[in-house]
Amino acid sequence: MTDVEMPSLEEFAEAARGLAPVIERTPIQASQHLSEVLGEEVILKLENLQRTGSFKVRGATHRLSRLTAEERSRGVVAASAGNHAQGVALAAQQLGIPATIYMPLGVPVPKLLATRGYGAEVVLEGATVEVGLRLAAEHAEREGAVLIHPFDHRDIIVGQGTLGLELLEQAPDVETIITGIGGGGLISGVAAAAKAKARAEGRDIRIIGVQAENAAAYPPSLEAGAPVSVTTQPTIADGILVARPGDLPFQLIHELVDEVVTVSDDDIARALLSLLERAKQVVEPAGAVGVAAILAGKVRAQGKTAVILSGGNIDPLLLQRVVSHGLAAAGRYMTIRIPLPDRPGQLVQVSELLAQTGANVIEVLHTRHGQGMQISEVVLQISVETRGEEHRTLVLEALRGGGFRPEIVPD
């Protein structure tokens, strides 16, 4: 691995000054709940309230602002499932640069409309961002446009790093920063900026990265000492669904990031629900992985800890599904399937048992149609609200004690 020239503290400060007229200085918020879970004081950096709904506008604006007049005249091209697209589109609009964005088919409608709303030409093609990146590179070659990579460029990394600088200005006593990792642009910039500032103050700061376990290319890459590609699986954290680390971010992360952990989709769903209920913050799955790591017991922070909520662009329909999934993962909601003999009084018995346990019935389906059923059977499918894992176990045991055979229906 070749040595990489670390961005300087002054480089980040200069970028921050340039971005000041465009971006929001997003607030921080204390979290008593997460502080109790972690055993250290925890604050949230609310980058979900940033313009365009994520940190991506920082890197995109810094990158585009450094283009020459000749490069600007050729226009820019990018590929993204949403956040980078919006960041590039807004930056291009602000600077008067023509922009073309390749987005995958099936991209959430709010992200598509927002990108077009900033004046970019959107091309819907391909099933993944990787396909879009290839098409964007071909477009750049064919049309002469400047390709704006979502994470593998020094200017992008420096722009994202202004978030770390801003955070330490707001909370100078932070000792640990936790944030998500996709390609690595955000955490590499934050780590470089935060560690440079901490060194200038004669102290150290820990940086912890979090990946979705279904798209975790960094643990094997760090072990190998070089970027490696992994086969990804679907994850609700589509904003960090990246199969291979960026070359430049990897070098910085290898040098500066202290630990990388992974979280499951269930962990992420629980985090989103917690942020909604406790912090009153709407956050997209990729932006909540740091909170997920704390709630899942994956991190052992040292001293005051900041968690970056990196984005809030979540499709309302996905939010609805995630909340349901999060309730189920937290033991607060379940759907159970109960085969019943086809005779009067069975539904009443089930209802009485549920009432005795204090479970709140949300929905009931009573049917005589289904696979594997006997002619003399019916199926009761019932959704109930519970108070956690212990209460859910109590409900199931009560039903079994009443002679029924409840099965939890997967979410």
Side-chain angles (χ1 to χ4, degrees):
M1 187 173 63
T2 58
D3 291 334
V4 59
E5 181 187 351
M6 291 287 172
S8 66
L9 187 58
E10 178 53 35
E11 195 172 345
F12 287 112
E14 182 181 351
R17 289 191 291 270
L19 291 176
V22 177
I23 67 164
E24 297 288 338
R25 186 179 177 87
T26 55
I28 59 173
Q29 175 179 305
S31 174
Q32 181 177 347
H33 174 57
L34 292 176
S35 298
E36 291 170 354
V37 171
L38 190 62
E40 301 280 2
E41 183 182 356
V42 175
I43 61 171
L44 304 172
K45 175 60 170 169
L46 306 183
E47 195 68 3
N48 56 309
L49 303 181
Q50 184 55 261
R51 293 190 69 180
T52 75
S54 94
F55 72 94
K56 289 282 192 178
V57 69
R58 294 175 182 265
T61 302
H62 184 60
R63 171 84 170 93
L64 267 63
S65 70
R66 290 173 59 81
L67 295 178
T68 66
E70 187 273 334
E71 287 173 325
R72 295 185 187 195
S73 69
R74 286 154 40 199
V76 297
V77 61
S80 167
N83 288 344
H84 181 59
Q86 293 175 71
V88 171
L90 176 62
Q93 183 187 64
Q94 294 277 327
L95 295 167
I97 302 172
T100 301
I101 314 290
Y102 285 81
M103 304 184 81
L105 295 167
V107 66
V109 172
K111 294 182 178 181
L112 170 62
L113 295 179
T115 304
R116 283 179 172 160
Y118 292 126
E121 178 185 347
V122 176
V123 180
L124 294 174
E125 195 167 345
T128 65
V129 176
E130 281 72 25
V131 173
L133 282 169
R134 176 176 57 79
L135 294 172
E138 292 172 357
H139 176 104
E141 182 71 23
R142 184 176 62 250
E143 305 293 336
V146 179
L147 178 64
I148 307 299
H149 197 280
F151 48 82
D152 206 357
H153 193 281
R154 185 184 179 91
D155 290 341
I156 292 286
I157 291 169
V158 170
Q160 318 301 28
T162 61
L163 175 53
L165 207 59
E166 182 176 295
L167 171 58
L168 290 185
E169 289 171 355
Q170 294 169 307
D173 53 345
V174 161
E175 296 180 51
T176 301
I177 298 175
I178 304 174
T179 190
I181 310 179
L186 174 61
I187 194 171
S188 60
V190 167
K195 294 216 167 190
K197 186 169 177 59
R199 279 195 303 271
E201 297 166 353
R203 67 186 186 99
D204 193 19
I205 193 165
R206 295 186 71 238
I207 309 293
I208 299 175
V210 187
Q211 290 207 284
E213 64 182 24
N214 285 354
Y218 268 92
S221 296
L222 291 169
E223 186 175 347
V228 299
S229 297
V230 298
T231 300
T232 62
Q233 301 295 324
T235 172
I236 59 173
D238 62 336
I240 52 174
L241 181 59
V242 178
R244 183 186 184 278
D247 291 330
L248 181 54
F250 175 81
Q251 293 181 62
L252 293 168
I253 289 166
H254 186 271
E255 181 75 21
L256 299 172
V257 172
D258 297 277
E259 185 181 5
V260 176
V261 301
T262 64
V263 291
S264 69
D265 274 13
D266 278 355
D267 296 332
I268 298 169
R270 280 191 289 265
L272 289 172
L273 184 62
S274 176
L275 286 165
L276 278 171
E277 291 187 324
R278 302 275 188 156
K280 314 307 176 191
Q281 295 296 322
V282 176
V283 183
E284 64 188 86
V289 292
V291 172
I294 291 177
L295 295 177
K298 296 293 186 73
V299 295
R300 295 289 180 268
Q302 298 174 3
K304 185 172 181 178
T305 299
V307 183
I308 297 173
L309 306 184
S310 58
N313 291 320
I314 184 167
D315 187 325
L317 293 176
L318 174 61
L319 179 61
Q320 182 182 26
R321 295 197 301 272
V322 167
V323 167
S324 175
H325 191 84
L327 287 169
R332 292 172 52 193
Y333 180 89
M334 68 175 168
T335 298
I336 47 181
R337 184 179 185 272
I338 310 173
L340 301 173
D342 190 8
R343 62 172 183 263
Q346 297 298 297
L347 181 55
V348 172
Q349 290 183 44
V350 171
S351 298
E352 288 176 347
L353 289 169
L354 291 173
Q356 289 169 15
T357 62
N360 185 33
V361 176
I362 305 297
E363 187 175 25
V364 176
L365 173 64
H366 187 271
T367 180
R368 289 178 169 80
H369 308 289
Q371 290 184 336
M373 291 172 56
Q374 303 295 323
I375 294 176
S376 59
E377 279 187 329
V378 297
V379 167
L380 175 66
Q381 185 163 301
I382 186 165
S383 298
V384 295
E385 183 181 18
T386 51
R387 296 188 296 274
E389 290 292 348
E390 289 186 8
H391 188 212
R392 182 159 77 167
T393 300
L394 177 65
V395 171
L396 294 172
E397 289 177 349
L399 290 170
R400 293 186 186 113
F404 299 103
R405 293 177 288 119
E407 299 174 358
I408 296 179
V409 177
D411 181 53

